Amino acid sequence: MALLEIKDVAKGYGEAGPDRAEILAGINLTIQQGEFVSIVGYSGSGKTTLINLIAGLIQPDSGTVTFKGSPVREAGPERAVVFQNYSLLPWLTVFGNVALAVDQLFSGLNRKDREAHVMKYIRMVNLEPARDKYPSELSGGMRQRTSLARSLAMEPNVLLLDEPLGALDALTRATLQEEIIKIWEADRKTMVLITNDVDEGILMADRIIPLSAGPQAKLGPALTVDIPRPRDRKAINHEPMFQQIRREVIRFLLHSHKDSLDNASDQQVTLPDVLPEDLTLPPRFWHPKRPPLRRADLERAAAEREAQLKAMAADKEEEVMA
Amino acid sequence: MSIETFNKLIKFLKTIRMGWVVPFILLAKGENPSAQIRAIFSGVCIPIFAILAFLYLWNTSSSLIVTKFGTVPGPRQVLSAWGSLRNESRLEEIKEADHVRRLREKRVDYSDKYSETLKDLPGGAPDFGDPAENAKALAAAALVFGEVNELLDVSNKISISRDGQSARETAESFEFEPSKAFASVVIDRLLPMEIAFRKADETFRMSTDYDVLKSDSKEIAARKKAARHAESKRLAAEKAALLIRRQEITTLATRQALARIDSVPSGTMRVLDSIDAASVSLRPKLDAWFTAIEEAEAAGTKYRNKTKVKMLNKSFADNPYPGKETYVQQIGTSLKTVFAGFLIASLIAIPLGVVCGLNKNINNAFNPLIQIFKPVSPLAWLPIVMIVVGALYTPDDPMFELSFINSAITVALCSLWPTLVNTAVGVASTDKDFLNVAKVLKLNWFKKIFKVVLPAALPLVFTGLRLSLGVGWMVLIAAEMLAQNPGLGKFVWDMFQNGSSETLSMIMVAVFTIGIIGFALDTVMLSLQQFVSFGENEAI
Amino acid sequence: MHLFDVRLKTNTTAMKLKTNPLNICRPVSGKGLALLAGILAMTSVGRSELLDVEKDELTFGFIKLTDCAPLVIAKEKLFFEDEGLDVKLEAQANWKILLDRVISGELDGAHMLAGQPIGATIGFGTKAHIITPYSLDYNGNGITVANDLWKKMQANDPALRSPTPKHPISADSLVPIVASKKAAGDPMRMGMVFPVSTHNYEIRYWLAASGISPGFYLDRKSGAIDATGTTDADVILSVTPPPQMPATLEAKTIEGYCVGEPWNQQAVIRGIGVPVTTNYDIWKNNPEKVFGLLKDWADKNPKTAIAITKALIRAGKWLDETDSRGRLVNREEAARILSNSEYVGADYEVIRNSMTGFFYFQKTDKRPMPDFNVFFKYHASYPWYSDCVWFLTQMRRWGQIPGSMPASWYADTAKEIYRPDIYRKAAAHLVEEKHLSASEFPAMDTDGYRPVTSEFIDGNTYDGRKPIDYINSFKLGIKDDSRLSKM
């Protein structure tokens, strides 16, 4: 039996009508125990939505997500998520962040054992010297390690990695890739990695699946990465299989992108010109709903600004001329 | 000191608004001197210069504005008003010491008077030590206070004399040497000025020549006006000199008096202390005795010495000294009131804010009410509070004064809103990722609130609290003025009502006190706020 | 530049310390060395058995006016402490707040306008049964008119055209001015302190004595109540807080006012008005302020009430102490004490001017007024029923008491409010303790009514025992059925 099964799942946001945005449609995916699967797609194609569906943070509009044979109704520690933006609680230290999870999930253990448990995972991600530091005192890589340690400490069945390395510089990114692979190899925990970096996906995963560009993004054909481990990040570039998988994935993604553009022009459907709501802004009293942010407005503003700058530059030139 | 602790220290200094010290420290360490000097110039010299400029402008412009209380006082007058407030509180100290002495005297007197009764006291009569010693110590203390009081009274008694002769007569009626010696100082240095000024003032006021009558020609009127102006200037100078001299002399007397009190021999002090100790230990016994007598009487036994025991018991009561509140005590009352109000406000606002932040519908329900009540001034709340509290709070032995409760509740009503709104916003805007973490961890509701939502909202809650305290401190003065709570507000009102020549400078002292304390409170709250704001977003 | 500016400028220029925060205590005993003879000797002299007071920590309220002096003196000269009372004095913002706080129990007692206990007890304004065991003082008010009005009065009456006109000055010369203003539809306005204050009744008496109607609180035809007291008014009277009187006069909002000191002298000093008469001229030795207690409080604390009265009597006597030549010897010291910021707080010179027996009617017209502030002399501190009845008759005369009442009601009400019984007990203690002699108090056989007097500005005769006849004796005022006088 598959560990995780997604069947005909569709998900969209917004009320029915022109503001409705269909994100995912007809998603089918099966993941086996111990597998390392990566899903590659464009930014904004719905990858995070997909992982939230798997985690149970959101529910599909149609179709089912089954985990170990039973449908996923809510989030839970057996499906730990490493969030794209770390999601560390800034008022807790590295230790505190990990301990929050441990104290909640292993309340049966005594204090000492729980502490040992926390330290085990902090050590696993090489953060022991920073155990008493606050997130604000950490670099991006260290923050993501903390997040990773927290998720691992939950001892989940599946680790869902939501573009964990997206915001990191290349060097840190490489180091962390190695570490994640090492951890995976150590106990072969099921991992689902979401990324927009095809190379990363191929390097790390057993199986790579492209996600077409939205709206109504679909999964492409799964490609098995049959490159023996440990994989060397420099050597792998010359591996023919790597190159082929890479080509195929990219072709699929490009094609799907063109498709969706074509579709759009064919069907004369204008995309809802709405940017995602910025949840970090405080809600306002009286008008709880903000007017939607529209891309067109932003573009117009940018164009105006540019024009203004140009005009200013022209003025300057004239001045210089004079 | 390691670099790390040093950096922490610097950061700490900055959070408590002492950032201006930092360049000095760095300069001492020799770090980039020219940059430090620039920082000192902009962070220290410019503010000091601005303050000096303000003082200069104040000083020069104040004398130009004439009010019905005289000209607006300049910085020097305000400073001396502060000095006289301090002097008043020292005198209040002397008064209190004297009160304690009289109380002690009364106790010994009573236990002497009722020594017969005391024989029946269960557990025996009080041990005051050697009665002769006691008497001597009390007499010595009384003598000192007699001297002190006479000393302090000298300048009053002398300076109201009509002439030198009657002043000397008055001086002769003094009992103690120090006051006699002091009297001659007052007669020599103060009295002539006092008499001269009184005379000049009287003549000036009585003189009809200075009245500008309608019949006068313009020229005559102008001449008289000029004469009057000159006269008034002369009198002003005379009065100023007189008052300065008078203050010097009073201060001198106070200093002598304090020194005299301090000079009570330590042997005497020890005896007095032992009397106090004995009386303290006797109080509970007397209390118990009197209760027993009352119970016995209720059961039907007549006790012939009941009243005596009761009076005895009373003389051993420790009533607080009923003196006037000194300025520092008034500041204390104000602080107590504002904190009480602030506490009430926080206890209401934070939970309510959390509830509003968690649930949009509750938020929508409360929102109109919040928006309507938020801008209401304390002056509107206070009468309502006074009537309602007055009706509800009627205990026989109130733990808090009604005026205190009225002001505290008014402060609470006005300072509730920033905390409420900020808590609601803080809770509502909790990062979605944090909530996702909570979901993944399956935290229950309580844990979610206390481990995730509240800590995440804390910086905003503290911003709200800081605003609330600021608002509370501002409305407090108005509330105290009307509710007659004996704090700074009442001080300002009383001074205003006094309408004396000191009125304006005293009120200005209060203005500066209010400002400085408000600033200090804000700094404390700001430091707290930064402490809880995860070191990320610097508050301003 | 006004003279006033000079004075105050001189004051503020100085580094001022109130020169007397110093009245700390009187010498502990007669002679310092006698103390060494022992405590027993010292204390057994002046003091007899203390009263077993029910409550010994007390808070009294006062308004910052010189006539709160007996309270302040009783505290500062330790008369309260001698009675075993720890008294705290608290200045109040205004008469209304003071009364409210006495009623709420925040204050144990207070310095009150004589009309306040009466008004409160009969229910004019806030209703509460308040009693008075002690009358704080006689006289002390004046009526001041604006300069312009004074000139017009002088034009009407040649006798006033002198730097020192003959007193008392009646409102006769005001009559034509008032009439012409009323005819022009802009009636004259004057200020007083409080609807039940003595000032209200005094200015009304003065105006009415010359036939000018100050307005009624009751429409005599329809019976409608008029809380502003301006029905049928020739002169409109309005309430103005004392400290604001001079400013309001200067702003021409009012053309005259009746107020206590120092606000009449202030008008002279600032050259904005002329005091035309004092209330001493309107009625010689008229009651002014009283000490008021809630009746329930006094019932619960009878011995405390007596102890308070004892201390107040001693304070009153101290204030009116004279030397062999009849000069008030303690008034300057009293002025010093009152000038402390926690009491009246005005400048010493200002308080002294009003307390030491002189009064400036104009800058050029300084007259001795030895009886301007009477605290104890003439039995001023005794709560005379007749004083209470006088206020009641005035309240009836102007309609504050809306219904006709029989003569007996006046006597009964006075007995409910004025409590000479408490005063008598206190006096007996003081005589026994040899602080005062029995001759200093009204004779024991008095019925509580002062002798019949006609020392009023209109020469009318007042007999407190015949209130209805007195009410009906006025030309101007509400009249009652004369049969009520027998009831």
Side-chain angles (χ1 to χ4, degrees):
Chain A
M1 192 183 69
L3 180 69
L4 193 75
E5 215 173 341
I6 302 175
K7 239 186 214 160
D8 299 329
V9 160
K11 178 74 187 171
Y13 293 114
E15 319 246 316
D19 279 352
R20 171 85 182 170
E22 296 294 346
I23 307 291
L24 300 173
I27 299 284
N28 283 296
L29 177 64
T30 313
I31 294 170
Q32 302 298 333
Q33 176 78 37
E35 223 184 345
F36 196 141
V37 177
S38 65
I39 294 168
V40 196
Y42 286 105
S43 308
S45 60
K47 297 190 302 281
T48 301
T49 306
L50 180 57
I51 215 132
N52 283 348
L53 280 169
I54 301 173
L57 290 167
I58 52 177
Q59 298 299 320
D61 295 337
S62 66
T64 53
V65 179
T66 352
F67 178 73
K68 283 184 172 173
S70 48
V72 172
R73 299 232 180 279
E74 52 170 358
E78 65 282 357
R79 278 162 282 121
V81 188
V82 176
F83 294 96
Q84 186 172 3
N85 47 5
Y86 329 126
S87 297
L88 297 177
L89 305 182
W91 56 92
L92 296 175
T93 59
V94 167
F95 184 89
N97 267 290
V98 180
L100 178 73
V102 174
D103 292 347
Q104 169 69 12
L105 300 173
F106 301 92
S107 47
L109 299 180
N110 65 27
R111 196 192 168 81
K112 229 174 161 183
D113 290 346
R114 286 205 306 263
E115 207 182 309
H117 190 99
V118 172
M119 285 316 291
K120 176 178 150 199
Y121 289 96
I122 290 180
R123 253 179 242 123
M124 192 180 281
V125 296
N126 296 323
L127 267 182
E128 204 176 355
R131 59 164 279 178
D132 290 328
K133 287 228 155 70
Y134 287 93
S136 59
E137 299 167 312
L138 299 175
S139 67
M142 288 160 98
R143 289 185 202 185
Q144 196 53 280
R145 280 170 206 226
T146 314
S147 177
L148 189 61
R150 180 175 64 190
S151 301
L152 289 169
M154 295 179 201
E155 303 197 331
N157 295 107
V158 188
L159 194 60
L160 305 169
L161 301 148
D162 181 11
E163 283 195 63
L165 313 174
L168 303 178
D169 61 282
L171 211 63
T172 320
R173 202 169 165 146
T175 330
L176 262 169
Q177 283 168 358
E178 303 284 324
E179 282 182 16
I180 292 172
I181 294 168
K182 231 186 268 166
I183 289 166
W184 177 75
E185 281 174 351
D187 59 4
R188 296 269 165 172
K189 189 154 278 174
T190 314
M191 285 197 191
V192 179
L193 171 73
I194 290 217
T195 178
N196 56 10
D197 180 347
V198 182
D199 291 7
E200 183 178 88
I202 306 171
L203 175 71
M204 296 176 75
D206 294 334
R207 210 152 46 105
I208 181 161
I209 308 164
L211 180 68
S212 72
Q216 304 194 341
K218 289 180 192 63
L219 286 174
L223 298 162
T224 312
V225 185
D226 208 357
I227 303 172
R229 294 176 193 261
R231 299 168 183 165
D232 181 89
R233 74 172 49 249
K234 270 186 205 133
I236 203 171
N237 275 320
H238 306 292
E239 192 96 21
M241 180 178 258
F242 174 81
Q243 288 170 345
Q244 195 201 334
I245 294 173
R246 189 164 185 250
R247 256 197 314 276
E248 274 185 36
V249 171
I250 291 175
R251 183 153 16 96
F252 175 84
L253 289 174
L254 281 177
H255 188 71
S256 78
H257 190 49
K258 224 180 124 230
D259 258 6
S260 73
L261 290 180
D262 288 352
N263 281 352
S265 60
D266 282 356
Q267 298 172 355
Q268 295 292 313
V269 172
T270 32
L271 291 180
D273 181 15
V274 180
L275 290 176
E277 198 179 339
D278 185 354
L279 291 174
T280 57
L281 292 175
R284 298 179 316 167
F285 287 114
W286 213 247
H287 288 295
K289 250 193 155 37
R290 268 168 211 285
L293 260 179
R294 293 184 191 279
R295 207 168 261 128
D297 292 345
L298 293 181
E299 275 162 12
R300 200 174 46 244
E304 271 169 17
R305 208 159 43 236
E306 205 160 303
Q308 228 169 4
L309 282 172
K310 262 189 198 148
M312 275 167 72
D315 282 356
K316 269 237 174 85
E317 259 168 44
E318 263 172 36
E319 254 171 58
V320 172
M321 302 280 271
Chain B
M1 198 197 296
S2 72
I3 293 287
E4 204 165 308
T5 40
F6 181 74
N7 285 340
K8 269 192 181 153
L9 174 77
I10 300 248
K11 203 176 150 202
F12 175 72
L13 284 176
K14 281 183 180 161
T15 51
I16 58 165
R17 278 201 176 126
M18 297 281 282
W20 56 274
V21 187
V22 173
F24 287 99
I25 301 174
L26 293 177
L27 192 64
K29 285 185 70 174
E31 256 175 56
N32 197 355
S34 63
Q36 303 316 333
I37 285 175
R38 251 177 291 136
I40 290 173
F41 178 75
S42 68
V44 180
C45 295
I46 289 184
I48 288 182
F49 176 75
I51 292 172
L52 288 177
F54 166 74
L55 288 177
Y56 175 76
L57 275 178
W58 176 16
N59 195 27
T60 47
S61 61
S62 62
S63 57
L64 303 176
I65 308 166
V66 182
T67 72
K68 68 174 173 172
F69 296 128
T71 59
V72 171
R76 262 170 302 174
Q77 281 93 322
V78 172
L79 196 66
S80 97
W82 168 245
S84 82
L85 278 174
R86 282 197 34 213
N87 221 347
E88 276 185 27
S89 78
R90 295 186 71 184
L91 286 162
E92 203 57 21
E93 273 171 36
I94 298 180
K95 276 177 152 186
E96 185 165 3
D98 195 31
H99 175 82
V100 170
R101 178 193 59 76
R102 287 195 305 269
L103 207 69
R104 197 189 281 128
E105 232 169 43
K106 198 165 114 189
R107 285 170 182 172
V108 176
D109 170 33
Y110 266 72
S111 30
D112 237 351
K113 194 161 162 187
Y114 296 126
S115 50
E116 279 303 308
T117 318
L118 274 172
K119 276 178 194 150
D120 300 339
L121 174 69
D127 180 17
F128 283 113
D130 180 4
E133 277 294 307
N134 292 344
K136 238 166 72 187
L138 273 179
L143 194 64
V144 168
F145 275 103
E147 271 182 39
V148 163
N149 289 323
E150 199 181 83
L151 189 62
L152 291 173
D153 228 4
V154 166
S155 109
N156 295 323
K157 286 223 164 100
I158 299 285
S159 60
I160 59 179
S161 304
R162 268 155 253 272
D163 49 51
Q165 183 53 39
S166 68
R168 271 184 292 278
E169 275 168 24
T170 314
E172 266 164 36
S173 71
F174 292 143
E175 287 173 39
F176 301 105
E177 273 317 309
S179 21
K180 277 186 187 154
F182 193 71
S184 66
V185 175
V186 177
I187 290 171
D188 290 349
R189 294 197 356 216
L190 195 59
L191 191 64
M193 294 186 79
E194 191 99 40
I195 292 172
F197 176 76
R198 275 208 300 255
K199 240 186 223 156
D201 188 39
E202 191 85 339
T203 353
F204 182 41
R205 282 215 265 157
M206 293 294 287
S207 148
T208 43
D209 294 349
Y210 293 112
D211 278 330
V212 183
L213 297 172
K214 284 236 167 80
S215 58
D216 284 352
S217 71
K218 270 196 181 136
E219 194 193 333
I220 297 172
R223 218 173 48 230
K224 282 182 177 173
K225 219 170 175 179
R228 196 151 82 163
H229 195 61
E231 181 77 20
S232 73
K233 270 189 167 167
R234 187 180 66 76
L235 276 182
E238 252 171 48
K239 178 94 185 209
L242 167 67
L243 289 179
I244 290 170
R245 187 60 64 81
R246 208 191 261 173
Q247 170 155 20
E248 270 170 21
I249 285 181
T250 338
T251 319
L252 190 67
T254 322
R255 223 179 281 140
Q256 279 192 15
L258 277 173
R260 191 73 196 86
I261 290 177
D262 289 341
S263 72
V264 175
S266 59
T268 307
M269 286 311 288
R270 261 201 305 283
V271 178
L272 295 178
D273 285 347
S274 76
I275 297 175
D276 280 346
S279 71
V280 168
S281 70
L282 191 61
R283 183 82 211 282
K285 278 194 210 169
L286 282 168
D287 259 343
W289 190 20
F290 185 66
T291 320
I293 292 173
E294 276 193 325
E295 278 165 11
E297 282 216 331
T301 330
K302 203 91 189 126
Y303 190 88
R304 86 197 135 84
N305 281 334
K306 184 185 167 196
T307 313
K308 284 183 182 171
V309 176
K310 190 172 175 192
M311 296 305 287
L312 194 59
N313 193 2
K314 259 188 196 166
S315 74
F316 281 80
D318 256 325
N319 287 348
Y321 167 63
K324 72 160 179 173
E325 261 97 13
T326 61
Y327 190 57
V328 176
Q329 283 168 327
Q330 284 176 314
I331 295 174
T333 311
S334 278
L335 282 173
K336 220 165 59 190
T337 316
V338 82
F339 277 116
F342 178 60
L343 192 74
I344 299 172
S346 309
L347 287 180
I348 297 170
I350 294 177
L352 197 60
V354 170
V355 173
C356 283
L358 286 175
N359 189 318
K360 265 213 175 100
N361 287 332
I362 297 181
N363 191 9
N364 290 342
F366 274 102
N367 200 33
L369 296 175
I370 294 172
Q371 303 299 340
I372 289 168
F373 287 138
K374 200 165 65 167
V376 176
S377 125
L379 301 178
W381 281 124
L382 192 79
I384 301 174
V385 173
M386 275 163 87
I387 292 166
V388 175
V389 174
L392 297 181
Y393 184 76
T394 49
D396 285 339
D397 187 21
M399 186 158 73
F400 299 109
E401 290 273 339
L402 202 58
S403 55
F404 169 80
I405 294 182
N406 284 337
S407 334
I409 292 183
T410 306
V411 167
L413 280 174
C414 294
S415 66
L416 188 71
W417 315 108
T419 307
L420 178 53
V421 171
N422 273 284
T423 308
V425 170
V427 168
S429 63
T430 310
D431 199 330
K432 210 159 181 219
D433 294 324
F434 298 167
L435 293 175
N436 281 343
V437 171
K439 274 189 197 160
V440 169
L441 288 172
K442 284 191 162 169
L443 296 178
N444 63 27
W445 191 83
F446 264 100
K447 273 197 180 155
K448 188 175 96 182
I449 299 298
F450 284 98
K451 295 223 154 165
V452 178
V453 173
L454 269 183
L458 216 51
L460 266 179
V461 173
F462 266 80
T463 310
L465 287 174
R466 178 177 155 216
L467 291 173
S468 281
L469 191 58
V471 171
W473 185 245
M474 279 217 279
V475 306
L476 174 76
I477 305 303
E480 280 185 339
M481 258 188 198
L482 292 181
Q484 297 285 299
N485 187 41
L488 282 169
K490 187 163 191 307
F491 175 84
V492 171
W493 179 254
D494 282 350
M495 286 302 148
F496 173 66
Q497 285 216 318
N498 282 353
S500 78
S501 50
E502 274 183 321
T503 290
L504 276 170
S505 24
M506 287 295 187
I507 294 179
M508 285 205 184
V509 170
V511 165
F512 282 105
T513 314
I514 293 164
I516 289 167
I517 291 177
F519 178 66
L521 289 178
D522 192 59
T523 304
V524 170
M525 289 307 289
L526 182 67
S527 311
L528 281 175
Q529 187 191 336
Q530 299 212 340
F531 181 72
V532 299
S533 67
F534 335 129
E536 271 174 345
N537 35 343
E538 292 262 315
I540 303 133
Chain C
M1 190 191 248
H2 289 304
L3 286 166
F4 180 65
D5 299 335
V6 179
R7 283 173 37 72
L8 285 184
K9 230 188 225 154
T10 57
N11 288 339
T12 34
T13 333
M15 321 267 158
K16 171 136 191 240
L17 170 88
K18 277 286 155 52
T19 37
N20 185 20
L22 312 168
N23 296 280
I24 283 187
C25 81
R26 79 222 131 100
V28 173
S29 76
K31 297 283 159 278
L33 284 175
L35 285 170
L36 288 168
I39 288 97
L40 206 77
M42 177 189 84
T43 44
S44 57
V45 173
R47 286 182 202 158
S48 72
E49 194 77 30
L50 272 185
L51 276 164
D52 175 18
V53 295
E54 297 83 2
K55 188 170 181 197
D56 55 3
E57 285 175 77
L58 305 169
T59 309
F60 295 153
F62 69 96
I63 297 287
K64 288 176 175 280
L65 292 167
T66 49
D67 47 25
C68 69
L71 282 168
V72 173
I73 294 304
K75 176 174 166 62
E76 285 292 325
K77 303 308 276 184
L78 302 181
F79 299 140
F80 281 133
E81 201 175 299
D82 282 352
E83 302 302 327
L85 302 172
D86 287 328
V87 172
K88 210 167 173 166
L89 294 180
E90 252 184 47
Q92 305 299 308
N94 59 50
W95 292 114
K96 170 103 177 68
I97 286 185
L98 175 134
L99 183 63
D100 287 347
R101 298 187 79 204
V102 168
I103 294 170
S104 77
E106 283 173 271
L107 298 174
D108 295 298
H111 161 224
M112 286 184 185
L113 292 160
Q116 263 184 317
I118 304 170
T121 304
I122 66 171
F124 182 77
T126 321
K127 172 107 176 105
H129 193 165
I130 291 179
I131 61 161
T132 177
Y134 185 89
S135 154
L136 289 172
D137 68 324
Y138 280 171
N139 311 328
N141 297 332
I143 294 175
T144 296
V145 297
N147 284 342
D148 289 352
L149 189 56
W150 175 240
K151 291 219 181 75
K152 284 186 207 154
M153 286 167 76
Q154 282 179 319
N156 287 342
D157 183 356
L160 300 179
R161 278 175 232 150
S162 141
T164 51
K166 192 176 166 294
H167 280 217
I169 298 175
S170 75
D172 290 347
S173 55
L174 211 56
V175 176
I177 309 166
V178 169
S180 69
K181 288 206 82 165
K182 196 185 179 192
D186 176 26
M188 187 182 284
R189 292 175 178 276
M190 289 194 170
M192 49 82 179
V193 173
F194 203 65
V196 295
S197 73
T198 37
H199 318 89
N200 187 16
Y201 305 121
E202 279 157 13
I203 194 166
R204 280 166 179 274
Y205 200 103
W206 184 67
L207 292 170
S210 301
I212 302 169
S213 164
F216 290 84
Y217 288 86
L218 188 73
D219 189 324
R220 281 166 291 176
K221 287 175 213 95
S222 70
I225 287 171
D226 172 16
T228 57
T230 51
T231 302
D232 300 335
D234 297 333
V235 171
I236 305 243
L237 296 176
S238 56
V239 171
T240 309
Q244 266 114 62
M245 288 288 189
T248 322
L249 188 76
E250 213 175 357
K252 300 199 191 309
T253 313
I254 52 175
E255 289 185 71
Y257 56 69
C258 179
V259 73
E261 277 314 293
W263 309 111
N264 294 297
Q265 295 295 281
Q266 199 77 280
V268 178
I269 293 167
R270 289 172 68 178
I272 56 170
V274 178
V276 283
T277 182
T278 63
N279 59 346
Y280 183 75
D281 282 339
I282 297 173
W283 174 18
K284 273 190 184 53
N285 295 329
N286 62 90
E288 173 59 31
K289 301 287 182 336
V290 296
F291 179 71
L293 293 166
L294 213 56
K295 177 171 183 292
D296 292 345
W297 190 95
D299 288 346
K300 225 163 81 185
N301 305 291
K303 286 180 186 147
T304 317
I306 295 170
I308 295 167
T309 311
K310 274 173 79 181
L312 287 175
I313 291 172
R314 285 177 69 192
K317 176 164 154 78
W318 184 88
L319 277 162
D320 273 2
E321 206 86 68
T322 50
D323 64 9
S324 51
R325 277 182 286 176
R327 288 186 310 208
L328 295 161
V329 288
N330 287 329
R331 290 295 179 88
E332 288 189 337
E333 188 181 349
R336 292 259 177 208
I337 297 174
L338 289 172
S339 73
N340 283 343
S341 65
E342 73 264 41
Y343 302 131
V344 179
D347 287 332
Y348 161 65
E349 286 80 1
V350 175
I351 296 176
R352 185 193 58 188
N353 279 352
S354 77
M355 281 191 80
T356 47
F358 292 94
F359 197 89
Y360 283 88
F361 285 91
Q362 297 181 60
K363 278 171 200 163
T364 50
D365 186 4
K366 177 186 178 182
R367 302 188 192 198
M369 290 282 287
D371 289 342
F372 190 64
N373 279 116
V374 178
F375 294 100
F376 189 74
K377 219 164 37 164
Y378 312 129
H379 305 312
S381 66
Y382 187 86
W384 295 101
Y385 291 139
S386 52
D387 292 347
C388 183
V389 171
W390 188 80
F391 284 104
L392 288 169
T393 59
Q394 297 304 305
M395 286 177 178
R396 176 61 194 146
R397 179 183 181 190
W398 303 118
Q400 288 180 337
I401 298 173
S404 293
M405 294 292 179
S408 59
W409 178 83
Y410 287 88
D412 294 344
T413 308
K415 280 192 176 115
E416 269 176 45
I417 302 165
Y418 276 51
R419 294 289 296 275
D421 55 321
I422 298 175
Y423 186 94
R424 282 287 184 203
K425 281 180 200 151
H429 279 282
L430 288 171
V431 171
E432 188 191 329
E433 289 162 27
K434 298 197 171 56
H435 284 302
L436 283 93
S437 67
S439 62
E440 289 175 278
F441 295 106
M444 288 309 287
D445 57 2
T446 176
D447 60 354
Y449 286 80
R450 283 208 267 167
V452 176
T453 174
S454 46
E455 288 183 312
F456 286 89
I457 194 163
D458 58 355
N460 199 357
T461 306
Y462 171 58
D463 182 354
R465 300 169 193 87
K466 297 175 185 160
I468 305 294
D469 299 347
Y470 185 60
I471 291 169
N472 290 339
S473 71
F474 292 113
K475 275 209 271 322
L476 204 58
I478 289 173
K479 306 275 190 299
D480 274 333
D481 191 333
S482 56
R483 278 171 302 182
L484 289 168
S485 62
K486 298 281 184 310
M487 286 161 78

